[in-house]
Amino acid sequence: MKTNGDPLETAAKLIRNAEALLIGSGAGMGVDSGLPDFRGPEGFWRAYPRLRKLNLGFEDMANPKWFDTDPRLAWCFYGHRYNLYRRTEPHTGFKILMHWIRALELDHFVYTSNVDEQFQKAGFPKEKIYECHGSLMRFQCFEGCGQKPWIPDPSYEVPIDFKNQVALDPLPSCPECLGIARPNLLMFSDWGWDPASSLKQERNLQRWLMKRDERLVVIEAGAGTSIPTVRIACESATNDSGGMLIRVNPRESESKQPGVSIPLGAQLALQQMDAYLRQF
């Protein structure tokens, strides 16, 4: 679809005429909730100054080896994010999406590379979410003793001395073998991730996509090209269904898919689309 008018208005019209909505979400979706994006080493090192001294970037730390060689450093990095995600409330963009789904009676599914479970917290049904990289809000045994991944107690926080950037005892441990625990998410060079939960979610998504014969709109928010998993999935769903893609990203918003590109942050774009929808 080629448009000469306001792309936000065009996007709103696509949503108004949709029968089903696939929501693709990358790291940029959570930024407006106050969650870190870690684009480039400087942003990462501002959050973790000790790692600057060690010359370790995000890709270095997102590696399961640290749970073996330096578990206190590993759990400082992941525990800080776990604690932050627990306390963070989803921004209004999540509520807008849920309002559209209910008001327009849209069948829907969420495809996200985020590991923060913000969609669940915003009220999206867990059976309608595919977390392709797993979740930081679930833990698994680092030793692989056979214990299935588990959800920590809702009141649990990882104890951290953030001044010195180390996690404190007791570190998260496996309830079966009492060995060190790790997040149930996919890291770099990660052969120990237990993908069972994500594979079940993926099967649910594939079944949902296979029965799409109505007007599908794919809205992709905050997904960049450095790790293009979400972008590729959203483009594929658009091609396979003959649907329309709404790509929202302050950078890299361009798309060759039929639809519309919006170079804004997720929350602002959703708010402005919603303003148009309320006028129709």
Side-chain angles (χ1 to χ4, degrees):
M1 172 183 289
K2 294 183 179 180
T3 62
N4 297 318
D6 186 342
L8 290 157
E9 181 179 11
T10 301
K13 288 178 179 177
L14 290 174
I15 293 164
R16 182 66 183 85
N17 294 320
E19 294 183 12
L21 189 66
L22 175 63
I23 301 166
S25 167
M29 183 66 178
V31 169
D32 291 325
S33 297
L35 297 178
D37 188 3
F38 300 138
R39 288 181 186 268
E42 288 303 320
F44 180 72
W45 285 335
R46 278 195 297 271
Y48 303 103
R50 180 188 171 197
L51 300 181
R52 179 194 291 271
K53 296 178 181 178
L54 298 173
N55 197 32
L56 295 173
F58 176 82
E59 291 80 2
D60 300 309
M61 282 308 302
N63 189 307
K65 69 179 182 181
W66 297 106
F67 291 93
D68 180 37
T69 61
D70 195 342
R72 283 181 171 76
L73 180 63
W75 269 117
C76 174
F77 173 55
Y78 281 108
H80 167 246
R81 293 171 63 198
Y82 171 83
N83 297 343
L84 178 63
Y85 295 168
R86 280 189 63 253
R87 302 185 192 121
T88 299
E89 290 300 319
H91 61 72
T92 57
F94 289 90
K95 298 176 184 177
I96 289 169
L97 288 167
M98 182 54 70
H99 171 72
W100 294 345
I101 287 165
R102 290 171 176 163
L104 301 174
E105 299 181 345
L106 297 173
D107 197 2
H108 67 283
F109 216 101
V110 174
Y111 185 117
T112 181
S113 60
N114 297 339
V115 297
D116 49 35
E117 295 197 2
Q118 290 284 289
F119 280 98
Q120 290 92 325
K121 189 178 284 190
F124 285 78
K126 64 180 182 180
E127 64 272 14
K128 292 281 192 176
I129 299 171
Y130 171 37
E131 300 160 303
C132 63
H133 293 163
S135 172
L136 178 49
M137 313 311 287
R138 292 189 302 268
F139 294 174
Q140 67 174 77
C141 179
F142 177 70
E143 301 296 337
C145 73
Q147 167 68 36
K148 294 182 179 179
W150 67 93
I151 299 173
D153 185 277
S155 63
Y156 176 71
E157 285 207 356
V158 180
I160 293 174
D161 174 359
F162 203 70
K163 179 180 179 181
N164 295 306
Q165 299 209 307
V166 292
L168 303 174
D169 289 330
L171 298 178
S173 61
C174 173
E176 177 64 28
C177 71
L178 304 183
I180 192 74
R182 53 158 285 179
N184 181 224
L185 55 80
L186 179 63
M187 306 178 198
F188 294 100
S189 302
D190 192 354
W191 305 107
W193 177 46
D194 184 337
S197 296
S198 291
L199 289 174
K200 181 179 178 180
Q201 294 172 343
E202 184 181 21
R203 288 193 293 271
N204 290 340
L205 171 61
Q206 294 305 323
R207 284 193 290 268
W208 184 83
L209 287 171
M210 286 178 65
K211 63 179 183 180
R212 296 276 67 78
D213 56 3
E214 64 268 46
R215 293 187 298 274
L216 176 67
V217 170
V218 181
I219 180 165
E220 175 198 297
T225 58
S226 58
I227 301 178
T229 311
V230 172
R231 291 172 73 101
I232 292 171
C234 288
E235 291 172 358
S236 177
T238 304
N239 292 333
D240 292 346
S241 67
M244 294 289 184
L245 172 65
I246 302 170
R247 173 163 285 160
V248 177
N249 204 326
R251 298 177 293 273
E252 305 172 331
S253 64
E254 299 80 8
S255 173
K256 296 180 180 179
Q257 310 303 120
V260 61
S261 301
I262 300 174
L264 294 175
Q267 181 174 224
L268 180 58
L270 291 168
Q271 287 172 331
Q272 294 190 9
M273 279 187 268
D274 190 55
Y276 275 114
L277 272 167
R278 291 178 187 274
Q279 297 174 15
F280 298 156

mmCIF file of all heavy atoms in Angstrom, residues 49-51 53-54 72-73 76 160-168:
data_model
loop_
_atom_site.group_PDB
_atom_site.id
_atom_site.type_symbol
_atom_site.label_atom_id
_atom_site.label_comp_id
_atom_site.label_asym_id
_atom_site.label_seq_id
_atom_site.Cartn_x
_atom_site.Cartn_y
_atom_site.Cartn_z
ATOM 1 N N PRO A 49 29.027 0.026 35.273
ATOM 2 C CA PRO A 49 30.369 0.608 35.127
ATOM 3 C C PRO A 49 31.506 -0.368 35.427
ATOM 4 O O PRO A 49 32.593 -0.240 34.876
ATOM 5 C CB PRO A 49 30.358 1.775 36.120
ATOM 6 C CG PRO A 49 29.217 1.522 37.038
ATOM 7 C CD PRO A 49 28.203 0.759 36.247
ATOM 8 N N ARG A 50 31.252 -1.368 36.272
ATOM 9 C CA ARG A 50 32.312 -2.341 36.543
ATOM 10 C C ARG A 50 32.701 -3.092 35.276
ATOM 11 O O ARG A 50 33.864 -3.437 35.059
ATOM 12 C CB ARG A 50 31.867 -3.331 37.617
ATOM 13 C CG ARG A 50 32.940 -4.374 37.947
ATOM 14 C CD ARG A 50 32.426 -5.464 38.872
ATOM 15 N NE ARG A 50 33.394 -6.539 39.006
ATOM 16 C CZ ARG A 50 33.105 -7.747 39.474
ATOM 17 N NH1 ARG A 50 31.870 -8.028 39.861
ATOM 18 N NH2 ARG A 50 34.031 -8.682 39.551
ATOM 19 N N LEU A 51 31.715 -3.317 34.410
ATOM 20 C CA LEU A 51 31.985 -4.072 33.193
ATOM 21 C C LEU A 51 32.782 -3.250 32.189
ATOM 22 O O LEU A 51 33.475 -3.812 31.345
ATOM 23 C CB LEU A 51 30.673 -4.558 32.587
ATOM 24 C CG LEU A 51 29.851 -5.475 33.492
ATOM 25 C CD1 LEU A 51 28.578 -5.932 32.804
ATOM 26 C CD2 LEU A 51 30.672 -6.675 33.947
ATOM 27 N N LYS A 53 35.296 -1.407 33.142
ATOM 28 C CA LYS A 53 36.668 -1.652 33.592
ATOM 29 C C LYS A 53 37.172 -3.013 33.122
ATOM 30 O O LYS A 53 38.365 -3.191 32.854
ATOM 31 C CB LYS A 53 36.734 -1.564 35.121
ATOM 32 C CG LYS A 53 36.413 -0.183 35.677
ATOM 33 C CD LYS A 53 36.453 -0.172 37.192
ATOM 34 C CE LYS A 53 36.099 1.199 37.753
ATOM 35 N NZ LYS A 53 36.092 1.215 39.226
ATOM 36 N N LEU A 54 36.260 -3.969 33.045
ATOM 37 C CA LEU A 54 36.625 -5.304 32.580
ATOM 38 C C LEU A 54 36.569 -5.420 31.059
ATOM 39 O O LEU A 54 36.888 -6.473 30.509
ATOM 40 C CB LEU A 54 35.701 -6.345 33.209
ATOM 41 C CG LEU A 54 35.747 -6.464 34.737
ATOM 42 C CD1 LEU A 54 34.657 -7.408 35.233
ATOM 43 C CD2 LEU A 54 37.119 -6.947 35.193
ATOM 44 N N ARG A 72 28.513 -14.732 40.734
ATOM 45 C CA ARG A 72 28.074 -13.485 41.381
ATOM 46 C C ARG A 72 28.023 -12.332 40.377
ATOM 47 O O ARG A 72 27.148 -11.466 40.458
ATOM 48 C CB ARG A 72 28.995 -13.151 42.549
ATOM 49 C CG ARG A 72 28.724 -13.980 43.788
ATOM 50 C CD ARG A 72 29.626 -13.619 44.960
ATOM 51 N NE ARG A 72 29.183 -14.296 46.167
ATOM 52 C CZ ARG A 72 29.389 -15.576 46.433
ATOM 53 N NH1 ARG A 72 30.056 -16.320 45.549
ATOM 54 N NH2 ARG A 72 28.937 -16.127 47.543
ATOM 55 N N LEU A 73 28.963 -12.320 39.448
ATOM 56 C CA LEU A 73 28.911 -11.312 38.386
ATOM 57 C C LEU A 73 27.737 -11.587 37.457
ATOM 58 O O LEU A 73 27.006 -10.663 37.070
ATOM 59 C CB LEU A 73 30.223 -11.316 37.597
ATOM 60 C CG LEU A 73 30.309 -10.312 36.438
ATOM 61 C CD1 LEU A 73 30.208 -8.877 36.946
ATOM 62 C CD2 LEU A 73 31.616 -10.511 35.663
ATOM 63 N N CYS A 76 24.596 -10.618 39.170
ATOM 64 C CA CYS A 76 24.468 -9.162 39.284
ATOM 65 C C CYS A 76 23.842 -8.610 38.005
ATOM 66 O O CYS A 76 22.900 -7.807 38.056
ATOM 67 C CB CYS A 76 25.828 -8.520 39.535
ATOM 68 S SG CYS A 76 25.765 -6.703 39.523
ATOM 69 N N ILE A 160 21.540 -7.931 45.645
ATOM 70 C CA ILE A 160 22.655 -7.374 44.874
ATOM 71 C C ILE A 160 23.314 -6.235 45.636
ATOM 72 O O ILE A 160 22.636 -5.368 46.207
ATOM 73 C CB ILE A 160 22.175 -6.864 43.499
ATOM 74 C CG1 ILE A 160 21.719 -8.032 42.629
ATOM 75 C CG2 ILE A 160 23.276 -6.090 42.770
ATOM 76 C CD1 ILE A 160 21.110 -7.613 41.316
ATOM 77 N N ASP A 161 24.625 -6.244 45.673
ATOM 78 C CA ASP A 161 25.420 -5.085 46.095
ATOM 79 C C ASP A 161 25.764 -4.338 44.815
ATOM 80 O O ASP A 161 26.757 -4.643 44.149
ATOM 81 C CB ASP A 161 26.680 -5.555 46.818
ATOM 82 C CG ASP A 161 27.627 -4.408 47.161
ATOM 83 O OD1 ASP A 161 27.319 -3.240 46.826
ATOM 84 O OD2 ASP A 161 28.693 -4.680 47.744
ATOM 85 N N PHE A 162 24.906 -3.369 44.462
ATOM 86 C CA PHE A 162 25.079 -2.755 43.150
ATOM 87 C C PHE A 162 26.266 -1.807 43.121
ATOM 88 O O PHE A 162 26.840 -1.558 42.057
ATOM 89 C CB PHE A 162 23.804 -2.027 42.720
ATOM 90 C CG PHE A 162 23.704 -1.873 41.230
ATOM 91 C CD1 PHE A 162 23.487 -2.971 40.422
ATOM 92 C CD2 PHE A 162 23.859 -0.643 40.625
ATOM 93 C CE1 PHE A 162 23.412 -2.853 39.047
ATOM 94 C CE2 PHE A 162 23.789 -0.509 39.250
ATOM 95 C CZ PHE A 162 23.564 -1.616 38.458
ATOM 96 N N LYS A 163 26.673 -1.289 44.275
ATOM 97 C CA LYS A 163 27.845 -0.419 44.307
ATOM 98 C C LYS A 163 29.079 -1.165 43.812
ATOM 99 O O LYS A 163 29.870 -0.645 43.018
ATOM 100 C CB LYS A 163 28.072 0.118 45.717
ATOM 101 C CG LYS A 163 29.288 1.024 45.835
ATOM 102 C CD LYS A 163 29.460 1.533 47.256
ATOM 103 C CE LYS A 163 30.694 2.421 47.375
ATOM 104 N NZ LYS A 163 30.892 2.916 48.773
ATOM 105 N N ASN A 164 29.235 -2.390 44.291
ATOM 106 C CA ASN A 164 30.370 -3.210 43.869
ATOM 107 C C ASN A 164 30.017 -4.134 42.713
ATOM 108 O O ASN A 164 30.864 -4.869 42.218
ATOM 109 C CB ASN A 164 30.882 -4.034 45.059
ATOM 110 C CG ASN A 164 31.453 -3.153 46.151
ATOM 111 O OD1 ASN A 164 32.328 -2.329 45.897
ATOM 112 N ND2 ASN A 164 30.936 -3.306 47.370
ATOM 113 N N GLN A 165 28.747 -4.130 42.321
ATOM 114 C CA GLN A 165 28.238 -4.897 41.184
ATOM 115 C C GLN A 165 28.550 -6.388 41.306
ATOM 116 O O GLN A 165 29.167 -7.012 40.436
ATOM 117 C CB GLN A 165 28.759 -4.307 39.876
ATOM 118 C CG GLN A 165 28.291 -2.847 39.673
ATOM 119 C CD GLN A 165 28.143 -2.447 38.240
ATOM 120 O OE1 GLN A 165 29.065 -2.607 37.464
ATOM 121 N NE2 GLN A 165 26.973 -1.915 37.888
ATOM 122 N N VAL A 166 28.069 -6.925 42.411
ATOM 123 C CA VAL A 166 28.102 -8.373 42.636
ATOM 124 C C VAL A 166 26.777 -8.785 43.271
ATOM 125 O O VAL A 166 26.195 -8.022 44.036
ATOM 126 C CB VAL A 166 29.264 -8.821 43.543
ATOM 127 C CG1 VAL A 166 30.611 -8.625 42.859
ATOM 128 C CG2 VAL A 166 29.238 -8.099 44.883
ATOM 129 N N ALA A 167 26.309 -9.974 42.936
ATOM 130 C CA ALA A 167 25.151 -10.535 43.618
ATOM 131 C C ALA A 167 25.604 -11.130 44.940
ATOM 132 O O ALA A 167 26.739 -11.595 45.084
ATOM 133 C CB ALA A 167 24.493 -11.598 42.750
ATOM 134 N N LEU A 168 24.727 -11.102 45.917
ATOM 135 C CA LEU A 168 25.039 -11.578 47.262
ATOM 136 C C LEU A 168 24.406 -12.943 47.507
ATOM 137 O O LEU A 168 23.436 -13.329 46.842
ATOM 138 C CB LEU A 168 24.521 -10.572 48.295
ATOM 139 C CG LEU A 168 25.048 -9.134 48.165
ATOM 140 C CD1 LEU A 168 24.334 -8.225 49.156
ATOM 141 C CD2 LEU A 168 26.555 -9.093 48.366
#
